[in-house]
Amino acid sequence: MKREESRQQALIFLFENEFSPNTPEEILEMAELLRGEKVSGFSKELFLGTLENLAEIDAVIEKNLKGWKKERLSKIVLSILRLGTFELIYQKTPVNIVIDQAVKISQKYATQSDAVYINGVLGAVGREYCENKSEEK
């Protein structure tokens, strides 16, 4: 499975987690058993890693929202932002790749205006993240 497909799969798991009473492990298991999906290792890493660091990720997102509160975002937009923020902070994926992938995914699962907003928020997170990393050196 390509990394882009794995990101989409992780996004679907994150979105499902917003509504499901099941544990993350059960969500992964049901995807394989009930839907016949092959869960990629990268997808699983993104999904579980995002959930494991959710409090910090949400704090970073909230800090970079301009004129919005996290609670006002749609669940799909929030899931895309969470996934992108996880990749920026914990996976050390280059900012341009994270933003490109998040915008592509948002064009498929959200609206064009959501894609623009996601681009801006992740750009701000990326600038902050890169600045903090360069200051640490």
Side-chain angles (χ1 to χ4, degrees):
M1 180 180 291
K2 294 180 181 179
R3 286 176 93 68
E4 184 173 336
E5 294 167 330
S6 291
R7 285 181 180 97
Q8 286 186 46
Q9 187 177 57
L11 171 68
I12 290 166
F13 296 150
L14 286 170
F15 184 73
E16 183 176 343
N17 188 70
E18 288 293 310
F19 302 98
S20 177
N22 297 314
T23 67
E25 291 75 17
E26 290 170 334
I27 289 172
L28 293 171
E29 186 178 329
M30 286 191 304
E32 289 183 329
L33 295 176
L34 300 179
R35 296 192 301 255
E37 290 182 40
K38 168 86 173 96
V39 177
S40 78
F42 185 54
S43 176
K44 184 176 179 180
E45 182 181 334
L46 292 174
F47 172 55
L48 296 177
T50 299
L51 294 179
E52 185 177 306
N53 297 286
L54 198 57
E56 183 179 353
I57 289 167
D58 281 354
V60 169
I61 291 169
E62 186 102 45
K63 189 168 77 169
N64 287 284
L65 296 177
K66 302 297 179 209
W68 284 80
K69 294 282 184 199
K70 181 182 67 126
E71 294 75 25
R72 288 188 62 203
L73 298 174
S74 71
K75 298 293 185 193
I76 194 69
V77 169
L78 182 57
S79 296
I80 294 167
L81 288 172
R82 285 173 169 167
L83 182 62
T85 301
F86 173 76
E87 275 203 80
L88 286 170
I89 295 173
Y90 298 97
Q91 297 284 307
K92 300 178 183 171
T93 306
V95 176
N96 62 324
I97 292 173
V98 170
I99 291 174
D100 178 66
Q101 291 293 296
V103 168
K104 279 184 184 177
I105 289 171
S106 65
Q107 288 171 339
K108 182 173 182 177
Y109 294 101
T111 67
Q112 183 60 39
S113 61
D114 290 334
V116 172
Y117 191 73
I118 288 166
N119 185 355
V121 173
L122 289 178
V125 170
R127 283 187 298 278
E128 178 184 351
Y129 173 76
C130 291
E131 287 172 14
N132 288 342
K133 288 299 174 189
S134 63
E135 289 172 7
E136 290 174 6
K137 292 181 181 176

